[in-house]
Amino acid sequence: MGAFPSRVCIGLPARGSASIRRIVNTTRLALTVALACVLSAPAADAATKRKSAAKKKRPAATKKVPAAVPEDTFTPPESAEPESDAPVAPKAAAPAPLAPVMPAAPKKVVDAPAPAVRPAPANAVAIFGVARQPAATDSAAKLEDTLTRRLGSAGDVQFVDLATAFPPPEPQGNPRGDALFDEGRAAYDNLDPDAAAVKFKAAAEAYVQRPGDLRPEKLGETYLFQGASQLLNGDVAGAKAAFTNALLVEPSLSPDAGLFGQDVQRVFSEAQSELNAQPQGTLVVTTQPQGARVLVRGRDVGTTPLAGAKLAPGRYPVQVVLPGYAPFATYVEVKPSAPTELKTKLGSAPGLSALRDAATKAGTEAAFDADGTPPEVGAIAERLNARYVVLAATFQDKKGRLHGEVQAWDVRTKNRLRGVEVDFGKRDGKGSADFAADQVHTFLTGAALPQGREDSKEPLVSSDSVLRKPWFWAAAAGVAAVTAGVVYVATTDRGPGFNPVNGLPGGISF
């Protein structure tokens, strides 16, 4: 009996120590788990946010094509947030009620640099063709084109910058097309190719309906997903047609192997090979007025008149852009081994239309015959920051024959060129449009254009009786002196328009 209590007394502490150790271990484990949960909560939240962001921003469906990219391929710059080393100011806490609010120390504000404004040339020229009768509208546009082309080819005449005066409108985007594309992408990711194909087709149609706001890479991606959806439905021919449309819109497209399987890669390569094997066609573009930029798939391919841009057969978005005019956009079907012509007459933008209305008022017969500078000419010069304003008026006589008359004003020196007549029945020589341009060039610069013709020695003006009168030059330009039969004129403005050979100022008034 005495041994039993001893064993009991010895055994109890042993069992109690084990229990205590188990309790301690259990407590440590619980604390470890709790601490791990606390520490893992931010990581879990961050992971959840990353997954949510990944769902919102899907990976691109295409990849860059290495090396073999057509020369006219344009890769848009990737959008990125502007980097800044400036610290982010924390949000100020709301002050307690009735507590005095101490003014914060003023921050040093650095004014952002103003956008660079391109100054207008000191001797900028504005040219407008005006029709005095509706029947003379086309001839007025042609005469304006001829004067602009002829003076521009001289290389010493500076025209007003219409791009600065009338900046092009900002692209509006296509929210409806973007929404349909997102719906199609959601259906494609949820393995519903039937619904995806319908949505992508509708998105492509929405983009096509607004070629002026077209983003070629977005439309190309839409066609790519449409073809992939049709291929999942077993429509190989429809998929190949969609892939061809994608390549026509954006030749640099290539399906990303991480998103599309081998079947898409194979059919896409077949469509690309078949498109490259077809003979190219030619796109010919003419506009009125000339000099407009032609954009095919958003890429500049030249200015009008565009003799021919080589393109693979297919349907292309074409834009025609000219500063001061409303942009023109359409789709053109280019045929293989044949020229495809596009002709369009550009309409003036609202700002330029107002100036043309003013030019029409200043180009009437009464305004041309009156003395002094018409107020509309002064308004045009002020709006465009031009020194010279040239008006080419066209009209029809009683017998139905077309005629033209050109006048020019130097608003700085108040000189004026008058009496330049144009006979539309003559292609060259005196009375032709080119000859009229020569006379205008002499007025603007004091030097005649090289013509290579015997009649290039024709006088600038036809009123010889006026030119022979020294009193006229004294009244018009300041001080006149006659030496050895040559009239020298001293003026207060001897800029680039002053001719040291004959002494004529930048403009001749008579």
Side-chain angles (χ1 to χ4, degrees):
M1 293 296 293
F4 180 74
S6 175
R7 290 194 297 270
V8 172
C9 292
I10 295 172
L12 284 175
R15 289 194 297 271
S17 299
S19 299
I20 292 172
R21 285 195 298 271
R22 285 196 298 272
I23 293 172
V24 171
N25 291 337
T26 303
T27 303
R28 288 178 177 174
L29 179 61
L31 291 173
T32 303
V33 172
L35 182 60
C37 293
V38 172
L39 295 177
S40 62
D45 292 341
T48 302
K49 292 179 180 179
R50 286 195 297 269
K51 291 180 181 179
S52 177
K55 289 182 180 179
K56 293 181 180 179
K57 185 178 180 181
R58 302 185 179 90
T62 60
K63 61 182 180 181
K64 303 291 183 183
V65 177
V69 179
E71 295 181 359
D72 65 343
T73 298
F74 168 74
T75 302
E78 297 180 357
S79 59
E81 295 294 332
E83 296 181 358
S84 175
D85 296 332
V88 180
K91 295 182 179 180
L98 303 180
V101 180
M102 300 300 295
K107 296 181 180 179
K108 185 178 181 180
V109 179
V110 180
D111 294 333
V117 179
R118 182 180 178 184
N123 298 319
V125 180
I127 300 179
F128 292 96
V130 298
R132 293 176 181 172
Q133 301 158 339
T137 301
D138 291 341
S139 60
K142 292 179 180 178
L143 183 55
E144 179 183 326
D145 284 344
T146 301
L147 293 176
T148 303
R149 172 180 50 80
R150 179 76 173 171
L151 294 174
S153 64
D156 56 356
V157 174
Q158 296 174 307
F159 298 104
V160 294
D161 188 1
L162 292 179
T164 301
F166 307 104
E170 294 292 334
Q172 300 299 315
N174 196 323
R176 181 173 179 271
D178 294 341
L180 289 170
F181 176 88
D182 292 339
E183 293 174 7
R185 183 68 189 270
Y188 185 87
D189 293 343
N190 292 328
L191 303 180
D192 188 356
D194 292 330
V198 173
K199 292 296 183 180
F200 286 127
K201 182 180 179 181
E205 292 175 351
Y207 288 133
V208 167
Q209 289 173 359
R210 295 174 59 180
D213 298 320
L214 178 65
R215 291 171 293 167
E217 67 280 358
K218 190 66 176 180
L219 180 57
E221 187 179 11
T222 304
Y223 280 131
L224 178 60
F225 271 106
Q226 179 187 349
S229 302
Q230 291 174 308
L231 194 60
L232 289 175
N233 291 329
D235 185 4
V236 178
K240 186 176 292 187
F243 292 154
T244 301
N245 289 333
L247 289 168
L248 290 174
V249 174
E250 184 55 67
S252 63
L253 281 182
S254 178
D256 189 350
L259 292 175
F260 301 103
Q262 292 297 325
D263 53 344
V264 173
Q265 305 287 341
R266 176 180 53 82
V267 177
F268 186 91
S269 297
E270 293 176 0
Q272 192 172 38
S273 299
E274 293 176 5
L275 181 62
N276 294 337
Q278 297 186 44
Q280 291 184 324
T282 304
L283 178 63
V284 179
V285 183
T286 57
T287 61
Q288 184 179 338
Q290 300 179 359
R293 290 190 304 120
V294 180
L295 307 177
V296 178
R297 299 175 301 205
R299 299 164 184 81
D300 195 334
V301 297
T303 58
T304 59
L306 185 65
K310 296 292 184 181
L311 297 170
R315 194 163 179 251
Y316 292 90
V318 178
Q319 293 174 275
V320 181
V321 182
L322 183 64
Y325 293 82
F328 174 80
T330 187
Y331 278 84
V332 176
E333 187 74 26
V334 176
K335 300 178 181 179
S337 302
T340 301
E341 295 187 9
L342 173 63
K343 297 181 179 180
T344 180
K345 183 177 181 180
L346 301 177
S348 299
L352 186 58
S353 294
L355 293 183
R356 288 197 173 277
D357 291 341
T360 300
K361 294 179 180 178
T364 61
E365 184 177 1
F368 270 29
D369 292 340
D371 295 330
T373 302
E376 293 84 5
V377 169
I380 293 172
E382 182 178 0
R383 174 64 178 84
L384 298 178
N385 198 12
R387 174 179 175 177
Y388 300 99
V389 176
V390 180
L391 299 183
T394 57
F395 53 94
Q396 203 173 34
D397 62 15
K398 296 180 179 180
K399 296 183 178 180
R401 294 174 298 188
L402 290 172
H403 301 271
E405 182 181 358
V406 180
Q407 289 198 16
W409 290 263
D410 182 345
V411 296
R412 183 185 302 174
T413 63
K414 306 303 180 183
N415 291 330
R416 181 177 183 180
L417 173 66
R418 310 172 73 168
V420 180
E421 298 182 356
V422 177
D423 184 352
F424 287 98
K426 293 186 177 181
R427 294 180 177 267
D428 54 17
K430 185 177 180 180
S432 66
D434 285 346
F435 186 78
D438 294 348
Q439 298 179 76
V440 174
H441 180 267
T442 304
F443 173 81
L444 299 176
T445 66
L449 283 167
Q451 304 176 48
R453 301 191 306 261
E454 294 181 358
D455 58 4
S456 62
K457 296 182 180 179
E458 290 286 344
L460 174 64
V461 295
S462 58
S463 183
D464 294 338
S465 59
V466 176
L467 286 176
R468 296 192 189 101
K469 297 181 183 296
W471 59 264
F472 172 80
W473 296 111
V479 180
V482 180
T483 305
V486 180
V487 178
Y488 292 90
V489 180
T491 66
T492 57
D493 182 6
R494 295 195 181 191
F498 186 84
N499 188 339
V501 178
N502 59 17
L504 301 181
I508 297 176
S509 178
F510 57 92

